[in-house]
Each structure stands twice: as C-alpha cells, then as structure tokens.
Amino acid sequence: MLGQIPTPKSLCILRLSAIGDVCHAVAMVQQIQKQYPDIEITWVLGKVEHMLLKDLPGINFVIFDKSKGFTAFKELKSAMNGRKFDVLFHMQAALRASIASLCISAKIRIGFDRARAREGQWLFSNRKVAPQNQPHVLEGFMAFANAIGVKTEEPHWLMPFGENERTYAKELIPQDKFYTVISAAASKAERNWPAQKYAQAADYLSKKGYHVVLCGGPGELEVNLANDIAKHANVELINLVGKTNLKQLMAVLESAKLVIAPDTGPTHMATTVETPVIGLYAHSNPKRTGPYTCQHYVASVYEECVLEQHGKPSEQLPWNTRAKGELMDRITVDMVITNIDKILS
C-alpha cells in the first residue's frame, strides 16, 4: 500500500519505451510539473524515445540503449553514481526495466499494483500505486502522479517541436488543400490493415477533396506497406515514409485533418496535438491502448475476436488480454469511412 508520501524534491522516472507509452507519460509528467514546479525530474528512457522527447523543459534525460546489452546497464549505473532520489517511478513492468531499476538509488520506489506488476516487477518496488478497474494505459500512468499527491486533470500535452519542424512539413506537403494522414504500419505485420483497404480509404479521402499523406519510419516493413498502398490506390498519394524524423512527424500530424493508424506510436503522437485519430484495433483492447481522446472514432473488432477465442467478453478477462491470429482484415472499409464522415462532416 502507498501510505503518505511526502512531496518529493527529486524524482526519477523509469519508462524506457515505447513511443505511444512515453507520450502517455508526458501528460503525467507535465501535470506533476504544474503542481510541483520546483521538482527535479530525471527520466530514464530508450534511445529512440529520447529523439522525440529530448527537448522537454525541466527534465534531465538519461538514455538506456538496450541494443548495447549488458553495457547499457553499466552505463546507467555510471550515470546514476552518487545520485539518490526521493522517489523512483518504476513504470515499466518488464524484467529489463526492473534490472535497470537496481542501478537507481531511491528511498521510495513506486511500482504497479500486484495485478499489473508483470514479470516480477512487484519485487523491485516498496510502494504500489492504487489498484484501478480496467484503466487506459494513460490513466495507469496518472496513478503514479496521484501517489505523490498530484491532483490530476484531463490530459494536455506540450510536445517539444516547433517552427523548424512545421516549416519542413509545409515543404513536403502541397499547401493547395487540406490533407489527411495514413500511418499504416504497426511494429508487427499481423497488426496492419491490408494495403488494399488502406488504398480504398485513401481513394475516398481524395474524392472528398483531401491530399492523402503516407507516414512511417524507414524500416522495410513500413516502406513495403506504403508502396503496396500506393500501388492499389487510384489516386496519387504523398509518400513521406522514411522522410521525417519523429519531431518532423509531429508537425505533419499536427496539421492533418485526421489520422488513420493501427495500434502504433503515431496514433498517440497525433493525440498529443489534438488531431482526430481513427484507430484500427483487432489484437489489443482499444479501451486500454487506443487513442485516448478518440475512443469514439475507433474501428475495432477486438471484442468479437476475444469472445471467439476466450469465450468471455473483455470485461471478464485480464485487462491486457490480446487476440491472436490474422484478424485485421475483419475491419471493413465501411467502418473506417463511417468515422471519416463523422470527423470531416
């Protein structure tokens, strides 16, 4: 149990990945800074995530590069040598993160409650956040702020990008009409909507008078999927896959009229800049991991899939239950078009 925790003067946050999750964490951090403007915050996070967040004000970042293997732990221990924090937020229920937490000295070490402390995370904390009933990931993070006395509000974000990135985005995208974005690729191919269906959605958006921009990273999966979408589309698409860094992508998402994406980082990046998102969900529960402010625009077959596979609705299953298999094709183009019309009408 938590008990009474004095207002900390120094706080270390351990949340290494992923892009969507660190976007959720930013909302929590900025509410802490609002209530405790003098608090000293250090955030241990991954190398890629640092590329997006590195210019957040009032935060000292320490990079944990997991690609270095054991060396990453040695570097973290060296970076933390001689430092002691009032409070550690151990916000990642993964064994790698728990081992990393041993490199951080803190009197109070707050982790998830026992039900959510997977991979033995509960062994690495001496306080737990209050249990929650079926929370969104963002709400789960806000519980850490609550644990140190922060009265959290509806999330708002101030993300670290600016006019340089906005100018670059304008150079890439013709300014003769409004545009929409398809960020097609998730981290695993099975979580991607078929290219033919993305192309049909793109054709519909073009008929409504919008440019359609394809976004994504430079990886082979993203590049191949974007090329496949462009091949099936009957209109010319603006392919920016591999042409933007994360901060430039933020600017592209900011000015879009809507974003279509599966369960992937740009879904949550778009949420931070108040761009409507049509999330495509079959494997994970959108009530837990979907675009936080756009649950009403989600195109989801998750409920029917988990009911088939487990014989129970999601409310009667562990909240992180995933559906398995090739399921994304069950999401129809009409489901997406219905939400396009809701947003653009």
Side-chain angles (χ1 to χ4, degrees):
M1 301 300 292
L2 278 170
Q4 186 65 39
I5 296 176
T7 301
K9 295 181 179 179
S10 61
L11 168 66
C12 183
I13 296 168
L14 178 62
R15 180 72 209 192
L16 305 176
S17 60
I19 292 295
D21 289 327
V22 299
C23 286
H24 297 324
V26 168
M28 177 208 69
V29 168
Q30 292 183 335
Q31 293 204 20
I32 292 172
Q33 291 176 313
K34 180 180 178 181
Q35 185 160 329
Y36 300 146
D38 296 326
I39 192 171
E40 296 179 3
I41 299 177
T42 296
W43 188 341
V44 182
L45 81 171
K47 182 179 179 180
V48 173
E49 292 73 16
H50 181 255
M51 294 177 185
L52 175 62
L53 302 187
K54 60 185 178 181
D55 297 316
L56 278 175
I59 301 175
N60 172 45
F61 289 102
V62 176
I63 297 173
F64 182 92
D65 185 356
K66 65 181 182 181
S67 68
K68 294 183 177 181
F70 181 70
T71 299
F73 296 99
K74 292 177 62 178
E75 290 180 351
L76 177 58
K77 186 174 182 179
S78 177
M80 293 297 178
N81 186 37
R83 302 185 66 184
K84 184 166 180 136
F85 299 93
D86 294 333
V87 174
L88 167 67
F89 284 177
H90 182 357
M91 297 177 60
Q92 190 143 359
L95 184 58
R96 178 189 289 114
S98 290
I99 295 172
S101 75
L102 298 177
C103 302
I104 302 167
S105 177
K107 181 179 179 181
I108 297 172
R109 310 171 69 85
I110 304 175
F112 287 106
D113 59 285
R114 186 65 179 269
R116 289 178 288 170
R118 301 187 307 276
E119 299 190 32
Q121 193 229 32
W122 60 276
L123 295 168
F124 296 82
S125 61
N126 55 23
R127 304 287 184 95
K128 321 295 180 191
V129 298
Q132 294 172 295
N133 181 33
Q134 302 177 341
H136 190 279
V137 170
L138 188 150
E139 294 164 346
F141 288 177
M142 288 295 187
F144 283 82
N146 297 150
I148 59 171
V150 174
K151 297 178 181 178
T152 50
E153 306 168 344
E154 283 298 307
H156 297 280
W157 290 264
L158 182 61
M159 298 298 286
F161 70 102
E163 291 310 309
N164 288 340
E165 289 79 20
R166 293 184 179 102
T167 298
Y168 183 75
K170 289 178 181 178
E171 292 172 352
L172 291 175
I173 302 170
Q175 299 297 298
D176 56 317
K177 56 186 177 182
F178 294 126
Y179 69 89
T180 57
V181 167
I182 294 175
S183 182
S187 58
K188 295 183 179 180
E190 72 171 10
R191 299 177 193 169
N192 295 335
W193 208 31
Q196 297 92 326
K197 292 191 173 184
Y198 276 125
Q200 290 177 57
D203 289 345
Y204 184 77
L205 287 164
S206 180
K207 288 178 182 178
K208 289 182 76 71
Y210 294 85
H211 286 305
V212 180
V213 177
L214 301 178
C215 289
E220 183 178 0
L221 176 65
E222 292 97 324
V223 171
N224 289 343
L225 181 55
N227 290 338
D228 207 12
I229 294 168
K231 181 178 70 175
H232 286 92
N234 295 316
V235 296
E236 185 175 352
L237 308 180
I238 301 169
N239 190 347
L240 300 187
V241 172
K243 296 180 181 178
T244 59
N245 61 34
L246 288 170
K247 288 178 177 288
Q248 292 162 348
L249 177 56
M250 286 292 307
V252 171
L253 297 171
E254 179 188 43
S255 294
K257 291 302 176 182
L258 64 79
V259 174
I260 301 173
D263 188 9
T264 186
T267 298
H268 308 292
M269 292 169 64
T271 298
T272 70
V273 290
E274 300 182 349
T275 298
V277 181
I278 301 173
L280 310 176
Y281 283 76
H283 297 88
S284 59
N285 189 342
K287 294 178 183 177
R288 178 178 177 270
T289 65
Y292 186 76
T293 58
C294 292
Q295 295 281 325
H296 49 301
Y297 297 138
V298 166
S300 174
V301 293
Y302 171 78
E303 289 294 339
E304 68 182 60
C305 292
V306 294
L307 185 61
E308 287 178 10
Q309 295 182 11
H310 299 276
K312 297 178 181 179
S314 63
E315 289 81 4
Q316 298 176 23
L317 295 166
W319 196 231
N320 62 342
T321 297
R322 286 185 175 272
K324 297 179 180 180
E326 300 294 329
L327 306 173
M328 292 293 286
D329 193 40
R330 296 190 183 196
I331 301 171
T332 67
V333 175
D334 284 343
M335 291 167 67
V336 173
I337 286 176
T338 295
N339 284 309
I340 289 173
D341 289 340
K342 287 179 184 177
I343 295 169
L344 298 181
S345 61

